[in-house]
Amino acid sequence: MLPRRLSLPVLTLFLLAAPGLSAQATLSSIPVQEFADRRAGLAAEVGDGWILGVGGVTAPQPFIPFHQDPVFRYLTGFTQPEAALLVWAQGGQVREEMLFVQPRDPAAETWDGYRMGPEASRERTGIPGRSIQELPAVLDSLAGAGALPRIHVAASYNPGAAVANDVTQRVQNLMAGHGDVEVRVVTPYVDRMRQVKSEAEIALLRRSIEITSEAHREVARSLRPGMNEFEIQAIIEYTFRRYGAERPAFSSIVGSGPNSTILHYETNDDFMEDGEVLLVDVGAAFGGYAADITRTYPVNGRFSDAQREIYQLVLDAQLAAEGVAGPGVSMGQLSQAATVVLAEGLAELGLIEAPDATFEDEMGRQVPQLRLFYMHGLGHGIGLHVHDPTPPVLEPGVVFTIEPGIYVRENLFTEVIPDTPRNREMMEAIRPAFQRYVNIGVRIEDNYLVTAQGLERLSTAPREVAEVEALMAAGEASPAPRRDEWVERFRGMR
Ligand code: GLY
Ligand code: MN
Ligand code: MN
């Protein structure tokens, strides 16, 4: 689906091993050495010069949670606000590093909580720490000494965006007095590293995905006609926290009836009726790593014939993509496999005139009719961001989603399809099917790890029609004892 505005997960820095720089030291259960290796990898790409990394700032309003920027978190593991990183690379090697952080301030900490300060940050991250207040002077002196003909920015820096994010503003402020320093953005190197996950990252993803699968099982056990979407959202987010996830990785999508056809619906406040479907697209963040799983449920526990027909088609498309996925296969090939199934199935259901039939858009261009019902991409990487970078060709260590969908919007004929003679002809042909399936939106989204052997599906929420209906018939939400088991299992992961 299209990237959306997201807040990013936060996790307090947590050291499992004793403080210090032992080989076992970890940040969020990721070894400190792994962060150092990432910076070394970046230095190897840059070659010579200074690299600047910039983290997120505290929200200007009080009580809004801070979530570290994913690029900065990836390079440092540091999760507190207002931080920055300088790395000096020479001959592709890291020669010097500095982590600039908020200084200790007991008065401010009374209100806002513990600040690590330069000393403790060095112990935790292995990077020599300095006060963030010193950064402008350090840049001035580097520039004054002629050491900054250019600066390599490795950050979520995007000056071309309509609204500059906080990291972009910080980089711009820092460079404002240095108009002669060339800014070279090297974030694509970091994105490339982020495409393939390490063992430690995969372990965190397995946890967030397992917790999110459990939240889906709770939905299946709890859903009844007459409930409100917000009750289901509450059950999901309660389950996330109950099992130790820090928060939803993105706004929970809980849409019933007509709302199931809105791709990024997040109002979540309608009552749910007997005979509707409920589309639930949610993901926990654990240790900063996002899951992203969608299931579509019949509100009354049994799919109607029409709902089952759409559901099975979407599932068949997902299975087709799964069937071709593995090392050496491109996302485009997966998409093609799913698209063929969807186009043929929609034609059989009568929602499109033929697998390759087209309609006219408002510019008079021919657009596949398939796009009236399936208008997003097939999947994306997941990681520190719910839409993490994905390589063009899959390889072992890539963790990603496959999420086909079909959405029969009620305003399709009245507001979406331009009123032209050719389109009117099409609407007449597909009207009976449209009326049969209107207000059914189905998406099925799972999370996968590419392995040397092929593909591992990491998400375990029920997916087959019979499995979903069986769990919905099984009844009440989970008993408490299982909570202890889960909490025990995940203790110490962060
Ligand atoms: N939840 C957003 C997505 O599926 O991409
Ligand atoms: Mn999703
Ligand atoms: Mn997704």
Side-chain angles (χ1 to χ4, degrees):
M1 300 176 70
L2 293 175
R4 50 171 299 117
R5 182 178 53 79
L6 287 161
S7 47
L8 287 157
V10 71
L11 187 67
T12 312
L13 241 129
F14 193 84
L15 193 67
L16 295 178
L21 300 179
S22 73
Q24 287 80 37
T26 65
L27 289 162
S28 292
S29 84
I30 294 177
V32 163
Q33 184 59 45
E34 188 169 321
F35 292 98
D37 291 344
R38 295 170 183 175
R39 296 190 299 275
L42 181 57
E45 296 280 5
V46 166
D48 293 291
W50 284 92
I51 303 166
L52 173 68
V54 171
V57 295
T58 317
Q61 306 91 337
F63 312 122
I64 305 242
F66 170 74
H67 308 300
Q68 184 58 283
D69 177 84
V71 177
F72 195 75
R73 185 168 181 160
Y74 185 80
L75 289 173
T76 63
F78 195 73
T79 53
Q80 294 195 342
E82 323 275 343
L85 170 76
L86 273 180
V87 177
W88 179 33
Q90 203 182 35
Q93 309 268 327
V94 172
R95 291 289 174 211
E96 192 177 345
E97 297 187 295
M98 294 171 237
L99 184 65
F100 295 85
V101 303
Q102 285 182 313
R104 294 290 317 278
D105 181 344
E109 289 171 39
T110 299
W111 293 91
D112 302 329
Y114 174 63
R115 286 183 184 180
M116 215 165 286
E119 261 316 295
S121 349
R122 187 197 64 79
E123 284 173 10
R124 299 293 177 93
T125 63
I127 311 171
R130 299 180 73 152
S131 165
I132 187 65
Q133 290 153 0
E134 297 174 42
L135 179 56
V138 170
L139 287 173
D140 285 349
S141 94
L142 288 174
L148 273 191
R150 75 183 61 82
I151 193 145
H152 305 86
V153 172
S156 298
Y157 172 69
N158 183 5
V163 181
N165 66 20
D166 54 345
V167 170
T168 302
Q169 282 169 6
R170 288 191 70 202
V171 172
Q172 286 173 334
N173 291 346
L174 282 168
M175 301 317 295
H178 300 288
D180 50 338
V181 176
E182 179 203 345
V183 172
R184 193 178 147 218
V185 181
V186 294
T187 321
Y189 295 140
V190 184
D191 290 348
R192 245 189 2 236
M193 289 191 263
R194 288 174 60 200
Q195 291 170 353
V196 179
K197 269 60 182 182
S198 69
E199 285 305 316
E201 290 181 291
I202 291 167
L204 291 169
L205 279 159
R206 283 184 189 278
R207 265 46 185 193
S208 63
I209 292 165
E210 199 169 350
I211 291 169
T212 308
S213 298
E214 180 62 11
H216 269 291
R217 286 190 284 270
E218 293 287 15
V219 171
R221 295 181 190 112
S222 314
L223 180 58
R224 300 285 178 275
M227 289 175 84
N228 195 293
E229 292 162 356
F230 55 59
E231 292 177 71
I232 295 296
Q233 178 183 2
I235 288 167
I236 290 159
E237 295 178 10
Y238 163 74
T239 307
F240 289 174
R241 287 302 277 157
R242 187 186 192 193
Y243 294 129
E246 55 266 23
R247 61 194 203 87
F250 55 91
S251 300
S252 299
I253 298 169
V254 184
S256 60
N259 304 331
S260 67
T261 69
I262 303 170
L263 304 182
H264 285 179
Y265 175 76
E266 56 184 38
T267 321
N268 303 353
D269 65 356
D270 262 357
F271 286 94
M272 297 178 282
E273 310 289 344
D274 197 337
E276 291 179 332
V277 292
L278 174 68
L279 188 153
V280 176
D281 181 350
V282 294
F286 189 95
Y289 281 78
D292 185 10
I293 305 175
T294 308
R295 288 290 182 268
T296 306
Y297 303 93
V299 168
N300 65 13
R302 299 271 306 171
F303 288 100
S304 70
D305 289 346
Q307 290 165 355
R308 189 177 313 105
E309 286 155 19
I310 300 283
Y311 189 95
Q312 192 59 51
L313 174 53
V314 174
L315 182 52
D316 289 345
Q318 194 196 35
L319 292 170
E322 258 179 51
V324 298
V329 179
S330 72
M331 287 300 277
Q333 287 171 284
L334 265 61
S335 184
Q336 180 61 18
T339 301
V340 166
V341 172
L342 289 175
E344 285 175 359
L346 284 170
E348 263 170 45
L349 296 180
L351 277 167
I352 61 179
E353 293 171 296
D356 58 353
T358 58
F359 73 102
E360 287 168 353
D361 73 3
E362 57 291 338
M363 311 285 288
R365 292 170 301 207
Q366 297 299 309
V367 178
Q369 290 180 14
L370 169 77
R371 285 288 161 204
L372 293 169
F373 303 101
Y374 170 53
M375 60 296 282
H376 56 73
L378 184 68
H380 52 84
I382 52 174
L384 283 172
H385 197 295
V386 67
H387 289 168
D388 234 32
T390 324
V393 174
L394 297 175
E395 59 184 289
V398 172
V399 183
F400 72 108
T401 72
I402 301 179
E403 50 178 305
I406 294 177
Y407 314 89
V408 186
R409 290 165 289 169
E410 60 189 348
N411 64 349
L412 197 63
F413 285 11
T414 52
E415 293 183 335
V416 176
I417 300 173
D419 185 18
T420 69
R422 164 71 195 109
N423 287 350
R424 260 176 255 144
E425 203 180 293
M426 171 192 72
M427 286 189 273
E428 277 324 299
I430 67 174
R431 189 179 303 278
F434 171 75
Q435 285 166 346
R436 177 174 172 78
Y437 299 111
V438 69
N439 287 330
I440 298 176
V442 173
R443 177 162 64 254
I444 305 175
E445 175 174 28
D446 281 275
N447 301 162
Y448 306 82
L449 167 67
V450 182
T451 65
Q453 293 73 38
L455 192 70
E456 182 186 352
R457 180 156 65 101
L458 303 178
S459 35
T460 58
R463 180 170 70 156
E464 294 288 340
V465 166
E467 290 171 347
V468 172
E469 291 184 346
L471 189 58
M472 292 189 74
E476 289 307 302
S478 71
R482 286 174 38 261
R483 175 182 59 180
D484 302 336
E485 181 207 325
W486 278 70
V487 169
E488 193 52 46
R489 196 161 356 140
F490 297 145
R491 198 186 301 284
M493 280 294 298
R494 301 177 308 185

